[in-house]
Amino acid sequence: MGLILGKIKVETPKYELVTATNDYEIRKYQPSVVAEVTYDPVRFNSDKDGGFKILANYIGVFGKPQNIKTDKIEMTVPIITKTVSSSEQIAMTVPVVTKSGGGGEVVTMGFILPSKYMKAEDAPRPVDETVVIREEGERKCGVVKFSGVAREGVVAEKVDKLRACLERDGYKVTGDFVLARYNPPWITLPPLRTNEVMIPVE
């Protein structure tokens, strides 16, 4: 019942709340280790969440973990996604690195690993070589939270407003946005889902 009602019972990233306004929060996140996969959604029949199964297999959501130690890794939230034109090469500090591809769009999806993994080498090595384990340093970002289904149009509107508010208040934006989703969409009722858009700032 808790999942249906949007209750979050797993580990979430640790951060310090720097500033809270009526429009957004500024958060300083602690370093973390991320497992991520970058892919062309066309390969997944235009499914932008096509990387979920790959990452879920790595940590052992659906059975035997697909890592060389076969260690089951606890699920955390949020799931982070970023979509860009694959003709661009964008290096970001928060919270993913998106790699360039060969046309159209590419998506990077990331799972933030449990905090017991302090360094990338602490995490079990993936069997699937498309899964990359990397370290994410301390970072600061502007965040806005919203409920419902994170459709592209809704997300775009939230991002535009957040960016405008940050720039209005004198923050220097240092990268593009990412989408963070906290609830399983096949379980949690849409009005009770927690989503965030995050923009890195200096």
Side-chain angles (χ1 to χ4, degrees), residues 1 4 29 46 51 88 94 142-143 150 167 177 179:
M1 182 63 80
I4 293 174
Y29 283 90
S46 298
E88 301 176 45
V94 182
V143 181
E167 292 174 349
F177 82 95
L179 171 64

Side-chain angles (χ1 to χ4, degrees), residues 25-29 94 139-143 198-201:
E25 293 181 349
I26 299 295
R27 300 175 184 171
K28 183 165 71 174
Y29 283 90
V94 182
R139 63 272 188 200
K140 190 183 291 185
C141 56
V143 181
M198 309 166 67
I199 296 179
V201 295

Side-chain angles (χ1 to χ4, degrees), residues 91-160:
M92 295 177 55
T93 56
V94 182
V96 296
V97 174
T98 300
K99 305 166 184 65
S100 62
E105 289 184 335
V106 292
V107 175
T108 295
M109 177 176 283
F111 285 8
I112 300 169
L113 298 185
S115 55
K116 70 177 184 178
Y117 299 107
M118 304 293 290
K119 296 182 179 180
E121 55 264 31
D122 295 338
R125 187 155 55 89
V127 172
D128 188 331
E129 294 182 356
T130 64
V131 178
V132 175
I133 308 298
R134 65 176 186 83
E135 295 172 20
E136 185 72 81
E138 185 179 84
R139 63 272 188 200
K140 190 183 291 185
C141 56
V143 181
V144 64
K145 184 181 294 188
F146 63 102
S147 59
V149 179
R151 295 189 177 92
E152 287 187 23
V154 173
V155 172
E157 182 180 319
K158 300 292 183 184
V159 169
D160 289 345

Side-chain angles (χ1 to χ4, degrees), residues 21-34:
T21 75
N22 291 331
D23 298 311
Y24 59 85
E25 293 181 349
I26 299 295
R27 300 175 184 171
K28 183 165 71 174
Y29 283 90
Q30 294 182 12
S32 57
V33 175
V34 180

Side-chain angles (χ1 to χ4, degrees), residues 3 7 12-13 25 32 42 47 53 56 65-66 77 97 101 118 136 138 141 144 147 163-164 173 179 187 191:
L3 287 176
K7 189 163 185 177
T12 58
E25 293 181 349
S32 57
V42 173
D47 181 2
K53 186 174 181 182
Q66 297 300 301
V77 291
V97 174
M118 304 293 290
E136 185 72 81
E138 185 179 84
C141 56
V144 64
S147 59
R163 186 181 296 274
V173 172
L179 171 64
I187 297 176

Side-chain angles (χ1 to χ4, degrees), residues 46-57:
S46 298
D47 181 2
K48 291 189 177 180
D49 288 333
F52 179 84
K53 186 174 181 182
I54 296 172
L55 292 170
N57 283 338

